[in-house]
């Protein structure tokens, strides 16, 4: 696993991908920090929350080549022939992408140091958003890795990851839309339900859909509330997508056999 | 050979089924596990790590909720869709707090968000009479037929009054959402058995909404008593407030107050000097004469530097007298533009008066000279009482009169500026308890809000430019150049 991790991490910096991602992230975070600095008030939690919106761009670029590139080159056969277990290959690639997130985040740590140097506040909400950032990163990277494993085209992998993350970011919007749609249907002449009853049903539907939204689940961290269940949610679904990737690769082994 | 192919196909089909089943089982385990974990341990493994517990209710509220009957049902309804992004909005410190109310209420409190634009009937359902003027973006606390409306902007925060006065916009300094909601819960669930009246119509300089909230939290309803030609203090009055008045009582009001005091009434009076420098409270003093108290016509100027808060000497510390020191933990309070409260010279032997708050022994007299438009000082240094208490001993229903020569113990302005847990307000709360006999709940302290401002001396156009160039130009551009170089070097490999 460590060998795969090292190889993948180094490969980020042997191609322009790592540098482009770093440059983009540093520019965006720098812009946010300077904006706050010039206004005389720096809330690092806001900066980190805003940076999470860019997962939808950064993660597809980071993960698109992890498996798709090997498949395209035909080097994926090494997964099955090398002494490294398949799960270790998946975990190694996942950790390499995750470590790249740490490298990206160094920039934010520098901003935090600058804030502290200017007698700004780094409170529990800030640390909460830092923790959530990495758990969400783990979840989205696992989705990206899975997307990369199902195709030999990096572009397709990136698009699938982009759409996946975008859909997750829009879950709360969908939940409201679905709830309003149900409310309209239930109160229409077809069902003639009282507005209060319809409201209760629709708010439950909304909550049920929103339960899957990792952003809503982890919102409270930015106010200084730490919820183990929210972190477990991110971690368990990250594990699920890693497992899916493993099964996808494993399939090739017995399908060939 | 054929057998082998069939076997192989069977193996592939079984492997496919196994793979599919393992994925489905894993997904079910993950979803069920998360739901169970959330339901069983979600709240227990949730920690408010803010230094001031902004997002969780304090023990005072927990105790209050625990004291409610088990079968009571309280609805807290936000008249809007549950906000998604609350960071930096008025809901930032309210939404998580209400979640905590619900989580720790043992099913007695239900928090809902219902948008009246989608469900218009919610307004009439919550407030059938329409008396409460419900509208979007308000919170409603309802239990049975009783409701209380809470405005997230006006009722849940204290604001920097200087910023508002000088620049006209609100800067929240502390969060009093818990205080507002706990008071509302008490009001809609509790038996409000006591009643307070506020004498109004005397050019009152300040509203008393915050004091009314404090009274509600103590189980005391409040109402205005307008000064008219037929004024009399109602029989159900347990305590009468004459606060922030800028004109003297009318003769009729003085007679009503005198009668009320003579019948054992409980009265709290608070006036200052700055809002009414030319006013003599002759009629008010006539009524207060019954308990040997008098409000003077000049202002105190503190000369002891250890007591002064402002350089003018008109805002200073005052100290609680030993007789009242058991009422609050902190004996030192802040007060401004004070009139002294003295003995009126009533010769009746059964009147007992005592000092409540005292200045240093280096305080002096000052007054406003309207002809020259300036503050004049006169006389020698001495100690003044800023607040005094008077009663009549040996009667079956003794009156209790507390007179403050400053409004910094009752006014909305002061409470909004300093919060409701400052010792001035703790004192007034203890005095109300003492006068009315209510036990009252512990007040929920206001919680200061983080100020994210940085050291202004570090912000200059040079520092902003340097940061802009470094963070947005030099570093990203270096990385892009590195990427291009690497690409060019390796493109043919």
């Amino acid at each position: 696993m460590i060998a795969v991790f090292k190889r993948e991490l180094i490969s980020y910096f042997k191609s322009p991908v790592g540098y482009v991602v770093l440059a983009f992230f540093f520019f965006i975070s720098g812009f946010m920090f300077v904006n706050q600095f010039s206004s005389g008030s720096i809330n690092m939690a806001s900066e980190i929350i805003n940076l999470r919106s860019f997962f939808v761009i950064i993660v597809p670029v980071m993960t698109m080549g992890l498996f798709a590139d090997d498949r395209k080159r035909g080097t994926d056969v090494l997964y099955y022939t090398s002494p490294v277990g398949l799960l270790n290959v998946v975990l190694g690639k996942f950790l390499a992408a995750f470590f790249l997130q740490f490298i990206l985040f160094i920039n934010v740590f520098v901003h935090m140091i600058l804030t502290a140097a200017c007698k700004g506040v780094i409170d529990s909400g800030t640390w909460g958003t830092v923790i959530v950032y990495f758990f969400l990163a783990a979840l989205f990277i696992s989705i990206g890795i899975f997307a990369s494993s199902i195709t030999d085209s990096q572009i397709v992998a990136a698009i699938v990851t982009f759409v996946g993350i975008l859909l997750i970011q829009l879950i709360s919007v969908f939940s409201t839309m679905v709830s309003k749609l149900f409310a309209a249907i239930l109160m229409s002449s077809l069902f003639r339900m009282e507005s209060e009853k319809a409201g209760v049903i629709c708010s439950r539907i909304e909550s049920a859909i929103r339960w899957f939204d990792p952003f809503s689940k982890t919102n409270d961290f930015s106010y200084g509330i730490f919820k183990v269940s929210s972190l477990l949610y991110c971690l368990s679904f990250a594990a699920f997508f890693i497992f899916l990737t493993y099964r996808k690769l494993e399939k090739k082994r017995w399908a060939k056999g | 050979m054929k057998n082998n192919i069939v076997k192989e196909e069977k193996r592939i089909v079984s492997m496919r089924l196994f793979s599919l089943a393992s994925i489905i089982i894993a997904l079910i385990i993950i979803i069920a596990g998360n739901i169970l974990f959330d339901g069983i341990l979600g709240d227990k493994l949730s920690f408010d790590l803010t230094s001031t517990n902004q997002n969780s209710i304090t023990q005072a509220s927990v105790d209050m909720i625990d004291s409610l009957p088990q079968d009571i049902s309280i609805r807290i309804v936000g008249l809007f869709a549950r906000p998604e992004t609350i960071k930096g909005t008025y809901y930032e410190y309210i939404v998580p707090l209400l979640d905590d109310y619900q989580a720790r209420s043992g099913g007695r409190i239900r928090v809902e968000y219902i948008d009246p634009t989608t469900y218009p009937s919610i307004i009439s359902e919550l407030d059938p009479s329409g008396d409460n003027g419900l509208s979007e973006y308000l919170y409603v606390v309802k239990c049975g037929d009783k409701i209380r409306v809470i405005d997230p902007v006006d009722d849940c925060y204290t604001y920097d009054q200087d910023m508002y006065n000088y620049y006209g916009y609100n800067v929240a300094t502390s969060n009093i959402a818990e205080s507002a909601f706990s008071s509302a819960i008490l009001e809609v669930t509790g038996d409000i058995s006591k009643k307070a009246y506020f004498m109004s119509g005397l050019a009152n300089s300040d509203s008393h909404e915050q004091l009314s909230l404090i009274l509600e939290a103590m189980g005391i309803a409040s109402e205005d008593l307008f000064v008219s030609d037929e004024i009399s203090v109602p029989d159900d009055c347990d305590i009468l407030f004459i606060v922030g008045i800028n004109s003297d009582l009318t003769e009729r009001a003085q007679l009503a107050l005198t009668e009320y005091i003579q019948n054992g009434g409980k009265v709290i009076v608070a006036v200052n000097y700055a809002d009414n420098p030319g006013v003599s409270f002759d009629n008010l003093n006539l009524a207060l004469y019954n308990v040997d108290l008098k409000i003077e016509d000049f202002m105190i100027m503190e000369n002891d530097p250890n007591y002064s808060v402002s350089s003018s000497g008109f805002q200073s510390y005052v100290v609680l007298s030993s007789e009242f020191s058991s009422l609050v933990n902190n004996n030192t309070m802040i007060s401004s533009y004070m009139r002294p409260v003295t003995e009126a010279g009533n010769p009746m032997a059964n009147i007992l008066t005592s000092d409540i708050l005292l200045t240093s022994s280096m305080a002096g007299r000052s007054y406003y000279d309207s002809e020259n438009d300036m503050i004049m000082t006169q006389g020698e240094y001495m100690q003044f009482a800023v607040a005094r208490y008077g009663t009549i001993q040996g009667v079956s229903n003794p009156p209790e009169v507390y007179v403050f020569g400053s409004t910094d113990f009752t006014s909305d302005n002061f409470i909004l500026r300093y919060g409701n847990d400052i010792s001035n307000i703790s004192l007034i709360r203890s005095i109300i308890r003492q006068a009315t006999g209510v036990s009252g709940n512990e007040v929920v302290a206001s919680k200061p809000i983080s100020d994210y401002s940085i050291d202004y001396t570090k912000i200059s156009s040079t520092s902003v430019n340097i940061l802009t160039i470094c963070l947005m130009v030099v570093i990203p551009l270096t990385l892009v150049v590195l990427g291009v170089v690497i690409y060019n070097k390796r493109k043919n490999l």
Side-chain angles (χ1 to χ4, degrees), chain B residues 5 50 58 131 148 187 201 212 370 384 449 456 479:
Chain B
I5 292 169
T50 51
T58 54
D131 293 341
R148 247 300 297 281
E187 190 190 335
S212 294
S370 56
F384 291 104
I449 291 173
Y456 273 88
L479 288 164

Side-chain angles (χ1 to χ4, degrees), chain A:
Chain A
M1 185 171 74
I2 292 169
V4 177
F5 166 74
K6 275 184 184 168
R7 178 186 164 270
E8 288 300 332
L9 190 62
I10 291 166
S11 74
Y12 276 124
F13 297 99
K14 282 185 175 173
S15 72
V17 171
Y19 299 99
V20 169
V21 168
L22 278 170
F24 176 74
F25 190 85
F26 279 31
F27 176 79
I28 295 291
S29 59
F31 172 74
M32 289 171 185
F33 181 76
V34 171
N35 248 351
Q36 291 202 70
F37 181 84
S38 56
S39 72
S41 169
I42 304 175
N43 184 353
M44 283 306 298
S46 296
E47 181 183 324
I48 299 165
I49 287 169
N50 290 333
L51 284 172
R52 291 187 335 201
S53 322
F54 293 93
F55 275 142
V56 76
I57 297 167
I58 291 169
V59 173
V61 177
M62 280 167 61
T63 57
M64 63 185 184
L66 285 175
F67 286 104
D69 197 33
D70 285 341
R71 269 179 81 161
K72 194 177 178 186
R73 291 165 188 253
T75 50
D76 60 334
V77 70
L78 291 171
Y79 305 155
Y80 309 101
T81 54
S82 66
V84 183
L86 204 50
L87 189 61
N88 284 337
V89 172
V90 177
L91 285 175
K93 285 176 182 276
F94 168 80
L95 287 177
F98 191 65
F99 194 77
L100 185 62
Q101 279 291 345
F102 266 104
I103 296 171
L104 293 177
F105 212 77
I106 287 171
N107 192 42
V108 180
F109 284 129
V110 170
H111 295 172
M112 287 165 79
I113 291 166
L114 284 173
T115 305
C118 296
K119 295 178 185 166
V121 174
I122 305 290
D123 55 9
S124 53
T126 308
W127 293 115
T129 49
V130 172
I131 291 170
V132 166
Y133 180 90
F134 286 109
F135 276 81
L136 287 175
L139 174 61
F140 293 140
I141 288 169
S142 68
I143 292 171
I145 282 186
F146 173 66
S148 183
S149 73
I150 58 174
T151 175
D152 56 4
S153 162
Q154 291 194 41
I155 301 296
V156 173
I159 290 171
V160 170
T161 312
F162 175 83
V163 172
I165 296 173
L166 193 67
L167 287 176
I168 289 171
Q169 287 191 341
L170 294 174
I171 284 178
S172 58
V173 179
F174 290 140
S175 68
T176 311
M177 283 165 63
V178 170
S179 159
K180 283 188 174 172
L181 183 71
F182 265 88
I185 293 169
L186 291 173
M187 289 192 292
S188 69
S189 55
L190 193 65
F191 292 97
R192 287 183 186 172
M193 197 175 269
E194 287 170 28
S195 80
E196 196 203 353
K197 271 187 183 174
V200 171
I201 292 170
C202 293
S203 76
R204 282 186 185 155
I205 291 170
E206 194 174 342
S207 307
I209 300 171
R210 200 167 281 182
W211 185 85
F212 289 94
D213 182 7
F215 288 99
S216 293
K217 272 187 177 301
T218 53
N219 251 351
D220 290 348
F221 280 76
S222 58
Y223 319 125
I225 300 176
F226 287 62
K227 284 184 174 172
V228 177
S229 59
S230 309
L231 301 182
L232 184 74
Y233 174 88
C234 294
L235 216 55
S236 58
F237 272 91
F240 176 70
F241 279 103
I242 288 172
F243 177 69
L244 272 187
T245 312
Y246 168 71
R247 290 253 58 110
K248 177 75 188 106
L249 298 173
E250 178 77 358
K251 183 190 162 196
K252 196 171 177 182
R253 193 200 293 268
W254 48 258
K256 271 191 172 178

Side-chain angles (χ1 to χ4, degrees), chain B residues 418-447:
Chain B
Y418 293 102
N420 59 9
D421 52 332
I422 190 167
S423 47
N424 291 39
I425 308 307
S426 301
L427 174 66
I428 206 77
R429 198 179 291 114
S430 296
I431 285 174
I432 293 166
R433 280 200 193 106
Q434 190 168 288
T436 58
V438 295
S439 53
N441 284 269
E442 278 304 308
V443 69
V444 177
S446 48
K447 302 168 183 177

Side-chain angles (χ1 to χ4, degrees), chain B residues 65 229 236:
Chain B
I65 293 167
D229 291 342
D236 64 347

